[in-house]
Amino acid sequence: MQKLFYITKGLENIAEKEIRESLDNPDILEKNQKYIIAETQSQLQKITSLKTVDDAHLLLDKQDFQTKPSSDQIIDNYPSEKLQNAISELSKFRKLGDCFSITVSRYKNKQADIEEIESEIERDISHKINKKFMQNSKNSKIDFRVHLEQRRILYSVRIDSRPLYFREYREKGRKGSLKPSIAAGLVEMADVKPGQKIVDNFAGAGTILCEAQLQGLEVYGGDIDRDAVKCSRENLSNISEEASNQIKRLDGRDSPHPDNCFDAAVSNIPWGKQVDLNEVELYSQTFEEYSRILKASGTLIILCENPELARKHIEKNFPAYSLKSQKLGFLGQNPTVLIARPG
């Protein structure tokens, strides 16, 4: 059965790279800004270990249309004959429980009646797999998804009981915290090797540093906010108590780190409504400080809302670096990732 990988817009190349490197002989059949469809012989356990993918599903069917599909077409084309095979495959991997849920999402297709679709498909699924429908997907262990696009329908079922972006370590969250799969993607962009040192002086909930620790990196950093430092330490301690001790209360514009110390700096610079700071001063002093503490061969990865201002100060403080940018899209926002490397 084909696999459907939901991804964050802008991280499709990073997600594809991880899929190719982590899974067994994957054949990428389709890739766009929202998902990747692939065939692979990898065990489901290996698929659920992916870090830069938002979620992974068994693809029950993909239907393409000449015009926007109606609610009746969406319901009538539901591949109920494939449900038993999918449930059988999942049951070999994990316990499924007695309930299921349905998620209906849509993109550029507002004419479909989501409530009608959910109601009709719910009856079909319940009859075929002999399980009860549950409205709240957070409490069910089987989530069937119907994703509607302008001229396409994707029918699928989630492989794990929770989305892949869920992390056991993440007990604490903060305003502006990154989704873990996005944080993992930013760390992956730095292209550093296990054992190398990475720093984030705007740690917030510590998600970037937690993902870096999971990738085998030596992590350092902190935040100017006491509660953020506490939050980062608590999350990181669920992975490594030793690593959590490296998180300090500090000002990212004037940190206590030694010169030429780190192989990479990866940060989600406060943006949008997260903070009330003088943006010019913040960017100017932040990148001057990162130029001091990064090695001459170090990589800088910055997620920000004002890429032109960030670019100006990165170019000033890293004159020998090449600079690339990548727009992301999530939760209706479109911040930019700036990737600065030597050469």
Side-chain angles (χ1 to χ4, degrees), residues 43-88:
Q43 297 294 316
L44 298 186
Q45 180 66 50
K46 184 177 285 189
I47 291 174
T48 59
S49 69
L50 295 171
K51 300 301 183 186
T52 64
V53 170
D54 291 336
D55 210 355
H57 287 224
L58 299 179
L59 181 60
L60 301 175
D61 202 7
K62 177 183 70 173
Q63 297 278 344
D64 290 311
F65 297 82
Q66 294 297 317
T67 58
K68 287 185 182 181
S70 66
S71 297
D72 286 342
Q73 287 176 305
I74 295 165
I75 295 166
D76 292 342
N77 281 277
Y78 193 79
S80 55
E81 73 281 359
K82 297 183 180 180
L83 291 176
Q84 287 294 349
N85 286 341
I87 292 298
S88 176

Side-chain angles (χ1 to χ4, degrees), residues 292-307:
R292 180 185 70 81
I293 65 178
L294 271 177
K295 295 178 180 179
S297 59
T299 300
L300 179 67
I301 308 292
I302 297 295
L303 181 66
C304 64
E305 189 182 43
N306 192 337

Side-chain angles (χ1 to χ4, degrees), residues 113-151:
D113 186 330
I114 289 181
E115 290 186 4
E116 180 187 3
I117 293 167
E118 183 181 284
S119 176
E120 293 298 323
I121 290 178
E122 174 255 308
R123 293 193 190 97
D124 194 9
I125 295 176
S126 182
H127 175 71
K128 292 289 184 181
I129 68 174
N130 195 29
K131 294 182 183 294
K132 297 179 181 179
F133 173 69
M134 179 175 286
Q135 192 73 39
N136 190 345
S137 63
K138 292 182 179 179
N139 297 323
S140 75
K141 293 187 176 181
I142 311 173
D143 187 54
F144 293 94
R145 183 165 180 175
V146 180
H147 179 64
L148 314 176
E149 296 185 327
Q150 207 164 12
R151 298 180 181 180

Side-chain angles (χ1 to χ4, degrees), residues 6 8 17 29 37 53 131 142 160 176 184 206 276 292 299 305:
Y6 283 103
T8 295
K17 179 175 179 287
L29 305 175
I37 297 174
V53 170
K131 294 182 183 294
I142 311 173
D160 212 346
D276 182 18
R292 180 185 70 81
T299 300
E305 189 182 43

